[in-house]
Amino acid sequence: MDDPQHLSLPYDTRDRIHTWLCGSPEPALAALPNRPPTPPRSPSSQLRKHRRDSSLYDSDMEGSRDGSPKRRRGNDDNIAPAQSVSQVGVGSVLALSERTTLTATGTGGSGVVVDRKRSVSPSRHLTALRTAQPAITLGPITMHKTPLPKDVAVDIGKLRKRLSARHGYIPAGLQEAICRDPVFLPSLDIDPIDEEEFDEADSQNAAELADTLRRVKTIFQNARLCTEYGRDENAWCFDVVYPLLELAIKLHGKDKWRCESVQSQSLSPRYLSSIPDPTHTSPTRMKTLYRKTDFCFSTSRLDPAFASLYDHLERTYPEVSHTTDNFTSRVALFSGIEVKPENGDHKEAELQMGIWMAGSLRKKASLATQAVSGFQPSHASTRSAAEEAGDIAAYPLAAEADATPGVTLNVNTVPPLEPAITIIGHEHKVYYAYLSGSGGDVTILGPDEKLVGLTTRSVQGIFRLVRFYGAVLEYCYGVDEEETEKGVWGTFLGPVLRVLAGNGGGGGG
């Protein structure tokens, strides 16, 4: 008596599968049907067998009306009588043995198996961006093919010096409390804090610094939990990185900054790069490369001076950043920070950070172009035709801008370089982004291997990161050690936005 499990298929399909399995080189398959080979059938017996199998196949599809026992559903149930195994639909898997699995990934209209399109790796996109329109070039800081422009090299040197302070970043008033805290003791036993890392010039006592120590301890404990339990990107973002940035703003931001979470915010397409993506019907089609980052800094609307400036900009030129979000599009944004868990893709982080920084710098260049081209606040609702169309001609900056009649903008119209950061688990890496071409090309150099020890693996590492991010904020809004510079805000962003606001508002100084 035939096995009921096999009666649901016509003889030709079942015999083809049986022959294929018996002829398999896999040892486990060769031994499967341990029975003598089926003798050849006469044409009449084949016809009778075909009719019997067909009737059983049809009756089973109709609910087994003849009262036959209900068959078990097998792996080959979805194979139609006219199909071979190689024609099984998308996603079907036929298990042959413990070591062999055949997967049909898809079928074309002619029945040919077609592989699904592979996703493009971040490294490929980073390479493609070098020839994109406009281009984004990201490379090591010490392996640049051609000499950097002199002003860029000087600015990078100054910024590296500002960011690389290695001593005196822990208030001396916390030394005893840190060394006695049971949370820190296991770490300090292995990696003690050097005396020179305490700032003796800081006169605050332990009571005044209690909140700072509490925050650092929480960041340290959360970072340890993220490592121990392999937590995901969101945990690293909001349990470790965000509290760290908030502490830096509290201690060094002078109440003029906000940490913005921009994970869910879109970027304006006019400030993004495009790469060729031809098809048979559209060989010249271009594809916009769009990625988002996690955090950035914004000048705070809660500061009275900034609030006054933004109130004027609301009436004249409200869109001052490269996002489309209802809030962050209306405030000046600075830097970009991309976070990944410990096993995160470093190239993906660079790609996301790079696209964000390029859009940010292009928007700032567009603002400067508007400010020096005779912009009239009374026509604030009207954008230039090039800008509305996303034309790259909106980006070039006029060399003779300072001589434009009626405009008093005595600043360099090219946006200053900005630091950007990628974070993979505990490790923070620094990059320098600058506008390198009049058509909106952007170059990003990094990571800066000189800036070592930027990690949340130790209590001193967290204190150093707080001081590092404080230096980033001071670079944008502040003065250098000789108190001769006003930072990016004083030399570029502030003057540009005040012109676009009709010279209204204090602009934060």
Side-chain angles (χ1 to χ4, degrees):
M1 180 176 180
D2 289 321
D3 186 350
Q5 186 175 354
H6 296 285
L7 295 180
S8 61
L9 294 177
Y11 79 94
D12 55 342
T13 299
R14 181 165 53 81
D15 282 2
R16 284 204 312 273
I17 295 174
H18 175 72
T19 301
W20 173 63
L21 290 174
C22 289
S24 170
E26 186 79 0
L29 296 178
L32 265 182
N34 191 13
R35 57 185 182 184
T38 304
R41 300 184 179 91
S42 65
S44 59
S45 64
Q46 289 181 354
L47 181 59
R48 288 194 299 273
K49 179 72 172 176
H50 184 197
R51 289 175 178 172
R52 184 178 64 175
D53 286 346
S54 298
S55 63
L56 286 173
Y57 177 82
D58 293 337
S59 64
D60 184 70
M61 293 296 291
E62 295 172 2
S64 301
R65 288 173 296 181
D66 58 355
S68 62
K70 189 172 183 179
R71 64 185 179 89
R72 275 193 304 117
R73 188 172 180 85
N75 286 335
D76 53 358
D77 285 1
N78 291 327
I79 304 175
Q83 281 186 306
S84 67
V85 174
S86 64
Q87 294 174 315
V88 180
V90 177
S92 299
V93 178
L94 179 63
L96 303 181
S97 72
E98 292 181 355
R99 293 183 295 168
T100 305
T101 301
L102 298 182
T103 303
T105 58
T107 56
S110 60
V112 179
V113 176
V114 180
D115 289 333
R116 291 177 180 174
K117 188 177 180 180
R118 293 181 179 179
S119 60
V120 181
S121 70
S123 295
R124 286 183 176 272
H125 273 155
L126 284 170
T127 302
L129 282 175
R130 296 176 183 273
T131 55
Q133 299 178 6
I136 303 175
T137 303
L138 195 149
I141 190 171
T142 56
M143 300 178 67
H144 208 257
K145 289 184 178 180
T146 58
L148 296 176
K150 186 176 181 179
D151 57 336
V152 172
V154 170
D155 289 344
I156 288 180
K158 289 182 178 179
L159 183 52
R160 293 179 84 188
K161 181 181 178 182
R162 182 191 288 271
L163 299 179
S164 62
R166 299 189 180 185
H167 308 302
Y169 48 81
I170 304 177
L174 286 176
Q175 183 170 4
E176 185 176 352
I178 290 174
C179 294
R180 289 184 175 181
D181 197 303
V183 172
F184 300 138
L185 283 178
S187 174
L188 297 179
D189 285 342
I190 302 298
D191 187 17
I193 303 175
D194 296 333
E195 289 291 333
E196 60 187 7
E197 296 181 38
F198 291 99
D199 182 9
E200 297 296 340
D202 192 318
S203 60
Q204 300 176 89
N205 57 40
E208 295 172 308
L209 295 166
D211 180 66
T212 297
L213 183 60
R214 178 187 61 79
R215 291 178 183 231
V216 169
K217 185 189 299 187
T218 300
I219 294 168
F220 179 77
Q221 291 174 308
N222 285 340
R224 185 175 62 194
L225 289 176
C226 285
T227 290
E228 289 179 352
Y229 294 96
R231 302 189 70 192
D232 62 11
E233 181 176 322
N234 280 337
W236 281 98
C237 280
F238 295 105
D239 288 351
V240 180
V241 177
Y242 188 81
L244 179 69
L245 300 177
E246 286 284 278
L247 181 57
I249 290 173
K250 175 181 180 290
L251 297 179
H252 304 287
K254 305 185 177 93
D255 297 325
K256 295 184 178 298
W257 293 99
R258 280 174 52 93
C259 177
E260 301 292 349
S261 173
V262 290
Q263 293 174 328
S264 61
Q265 297 182 12
S266 299
L267 307 184
S268 176
R270 71 182 67 157
Y271 305 113
L272 300 177
S273 297
S274 298
I275 61 174
D277 186 35
T279 64
H280 292 297
T281 58
S282 181
T284 61
R285 189 178 75 167
M286 301 291 288
K287 176 175 69 175
T288 299
L289 283 184
Y290 169 68
R291 293 290 191 281
K292 296 180 284 189
T293 196
D294 291 306
F295 299 108
C296 68
F297 299 109
S298 73
T299 47
S300 176
R301 290 195 67 127
L302 300 180
D303 179 89
F306 287 129
S308 176
L309 174 64
Y310 288 132
D311 285 343
H312 283 80
L313 284 168
E314 286 282 351
R315 299 188 291 270
T316 59
Y317 202 102
E319 296 175 5
V320 297
S321 85
H322 62 306
T323 76
T324 59
D325 180 73
N326 198 40
F327 174 73
T328 56
S329 65
R330 287 169 160 78
V331 293
L333 304 180
F334 181 74
S335 191
I337 302 168
E338 175 57 31
V339 182
K340 297 291 182 188
E342 282 190 291
N343 61 345
D345 190 328
H346 183 66
K347 289 298 181 183
E348 177 72 19
E350 289 186 334
L351 178 66
Q352 292 177 246
M353 174 273 296
I355 291 175
W356 169 272
M357 291 304 300
S360 179
L361 290 172
R362 290 165 187 162
K363 176 60 179 182
K364 292 180 175 72
S366 179
L367 293 175
T369 302
Q370 291 289 314
V372 301
S373 62
F375 173 78
Q376 299 296 324
S378 59
H379 300 87
S381 60
T382 303
R383 299 288 187 269
S384 68
E387 190 179 19
E388 284 295 339
D391 194 324
I392 209 61
Y395 298 131
L397 307 179
E400 67 280 3
D402 289 346
T404 304
V407 177
T408 57
L409 185 60
N410 188 25
V411 298
N412 183 3
T413 55
V414 178
L417 68 90
E418 293 187 23
I421 297 95
T422 63
I423 303 172
I424 311 297
H426 294 282
E427 310 304 326
H428 296 230
K429 301 292 185 180
V430 185
Y431 301 75
Y432 307 100
Y434 65 95
L435 201 68
S436 54
S438 61
D441 294 345
V442 170
T443 297
I444 303 172
L445 302 178
D448 190 346
E449 300 296 341
K450 181 180 178 181
L451 297 177
V452 296
L454 297 177
T455 176
T456 53
R457 294 186 187 275
S458 64
V459 58
Q460 57 266 49
I462 294 174
F463 273 106
R464 187 173 179 213
L465 277 168
V466 170
R467 187 64 192 89
F468 163 79
Y469 284 107
V472 169
L473 298 178
E474 290 168 0
Y475 167 74
C476 184
Y477 188 94
V479 295
D480 60 11
E481 294 176 355
E482 290 79 26
E483 298 188 354
T484 58
E485 296 180 358
K486 296 181 179 179
V488 174
W489 182 268
T491 59
F492 178 79
L493 269 177
V496 166
L497 293 182
R498 281 195 291 270
V499 170
L500 297 178
N503 288 308

